[in-house]
Each structure stands twice: as C-alpha cells, then as structure tokens.
Amino acid sequence: MINIQAQFAQSWKKKLNAEFYKAYFQNLATFLNEEMRNHTIYPSDSFIFNAFEKCSFEDVKVVIIGQDPYHGEGQANGLCFSVNEGVKSPPSLKNIFKEIQTDLGKEIPSSGNLERWAEQGVLLLNAILTVRAGQAASHRNKGWEQFTDSVIQLISEEKEHVVFLLWGNYAHKKGQIVDESKHLILKSAHPSPFSAKHFFGNKHFSQANQYLQDWGQTEIDW
C-alpha cells in the first residue's frame, strides 16, 4: 500500500495539503493502490514524487512539463524526460541534449539522469506521475492531471519570474493557467523525433538563463 500523503516532500506538502483531502485525490490514491496490487507501475513508489523531493517549492526557477513517465523497465525516475543512471537516453532526451549543445555549446552528457537540473531549481513535472508497465498513458484521467494543474497554479500565483518550458501541444494547453505577466513562457514543438525539426533552434536554454540573470537569479548549468 502506498501512502501518498506520507511520501510527499515537506516543502510542497504544506502548500498542497488541501489537495490530499479532495475527493479526486482520494480516488486517485485508491486507484494507485489497486494498480500496485495487480500490475507493475513506473516509476517505483519511492520515486513517484521525485520531482518534488529534488526541487523544493522555494527553489523552483524553471518548470518543464512532460506528459507521463516512460513505461519501459528501469527507465522512469520521477523526473520528466529523465532516466535512471546507466539507462540509454530515449530519443526525446537525446534531442534535448542536442539543442543544448547547439544553443550553449555544451557537450552531450553520457548520463540521462536529470537530477542535476532538479537540484538547481528545475521542476521536471510530468502531468501524469505514474504509468502501468508497457502501457503508455494508462493512468490518464485518474486524477493526476488535476493535481498537477494545482501545482502549476500554485507556482504561478505564489512565485514570480519562473521560466516555463512548454514543448508540444499537450504542454502548451497545460501551461495556459500560468500568469504571463509574472513569468516567462517559452513554447515550441516537442523534442520527439516526430516533431524535433520544429524543436531544434528554439534556444530555450539560453533564453531561460538570460531571463533568470535579468531577475538576479543564478542561471542553470544545463
């Protein structure tokens, strides 16, 4: 059995406490416990809230919105686009690294684990935080989307000068609740191989760093 509330990072728990008592969240917790009894889900229960563990509410400077976790064995680690240490980088992540190389002149890293970004204030937020093994989007419309909307709304309302990187139509829609008068929203196509030709050249990483610098914040070492 998973106790979602008990697992949640303290800095976020205080801010989001009311969500845990709403009917949709209670239903989500029941659904997840049922799934865990009968199926393998990713990421493992100790990593479901890794994005929040690795990046406190106070530290958030950049938000990247993904869709749902990788559904292959050993890939998902609770951070969108990121994979566990020693796992080959999936195509979308490879394309993200290629854009960073072009934009900032940085070498493509051997590791696809993006914890190093999270620890600098990048919230790597999937809209849906779990998935059944081998079945993409299998936990869609179970309550995660409402929860992550609340997270985005919270950041938009209570923080200032956060950069939101929205890649692909799904993320564009998810980011519509962000207050553009207080934050920087950068949109482009998704880094998937199907749309990467429209992702390449977006220069989101240099733009994000410039914005952070302009507002007196430390830039991200992408």
Side-chain angles (χ1 to χ4, degrees):
M1 294 284 286
I2 180 173
N3 184 336
I4 291 178
Q5 194 177 353
Q7 279 199 346
F8 216 76
Q10 209 52 43
S11 73
W12 290 95
K13 192 174 179 180
K14 287 182 284 188
K15 297 283 185 182
L16 292 163
N17 196 48
E19 293 299 309
F20 301 130
Y21 297 97
K22 292 180 180 177
Y24 87 87
F25 200 90
Q26 299 290 320
N27 292 337
L28 171 61
T30 301
F31 166 76
L32 284 176
N33 281 317
E34 187 67 22
E35 281 287 284
M36 286 179 176
R37 274 195 295 272
N38 297 297
H39 305 280
T40 300
I41 74 163
Y42 297 133
S44 62
D45 58 356
S46 58
F47 284 95
I48 291 172
F49 298 111
N50 202 25
F52 302 94
E53 288 286 352
K54 292 293 186 289
C55 180
S56 71
F57 175 78
E58 291 74 21
D59 290 344
V60 174
K61 297 192 286 191
V62 178
V63 179
I64 301 178
I65 298 176
Q67 197 157 345
D68 71 336
Y70 299 120
H71 53 83
E73 185 178 358
Q75 289 183 300
N77 66 0
L79 310 175
C80 73
F81 293 104
S82 174
V83 289
N84 280 312
E85 212 64 51
V87 175
K88 185 180 175 186
S89 293
S92 291
L93 183 54
K94 282 183 182 172
N95 289 335
I96 290 168
F97 288 150
K98 284 179 187 173
E99 176 57 25
I100 291 170
Q101 184 179 48
T102 305
D103 188 14
L104 299 173
K106 294 178 71 72
E107 288 298 310
I108 292 176
S110 56
S111 171
N113 189 339
L114 302 182
E115 283 187 8
R116 59 188 182 275
W117 293 2
E119 288 163 357
Q120 296 176 75
V122 182
L123 182 66
L124 294 157
L125 182 66
N126 274 318
I128 303 160
L129 298 186
T130 54
V131 68
R132 191 185 290 181
Q135 298 182 39
S138 48
H139 289 183
R140 182 188 290 165
N141 299 327
K142 301 298 182 183
W144 280 130
E145 295 94 336
Q146 187 172 341
F147 176 72
T148 51
D149 277 350
S150 298
V151 172
I152 294 164
Q153 186 88 50
L154 174 72
I155 295 167
S156 177
E157 289 178 358
E158 294 200 12
K159 294 185 75 76
E160 291 185 333
H161 313 311
V162 173
V163 183
F164 287 82
L165 303 184
L166 308 180
W167 301 330
N169 290 333
Y170 187 91
H172 296 176
K173 288 174 188 165
K174 190 87 174 162
Q176 285 174 350
I177 55 178
V178 177
D179 185 347
E180 294 190 56
S181 69
K182 292 169 62 184
H183 306 284
L184 177 64
I185 298 174
L186 298 175
K187 297 180 183 177
S188 79
H190 194 276
S192 153
F194 299 108
S195 53
K197 66 179 181 181
H198 301 295
F199 171 81
F200 292 136
N202 66 23
K203 298 191 180 297
H204 280 185
F205 303 97
S206 59
Q207 288 183 68
N209 277 353
Q210 186 61 56
Y211 181 81
L212 293 173
Q213 213 170 37
D214 290 346
W215 287 103
Q217 299 189 72
T218 310
E219 59 185 39
I220 306 298
D221 179 8
W222 300 106

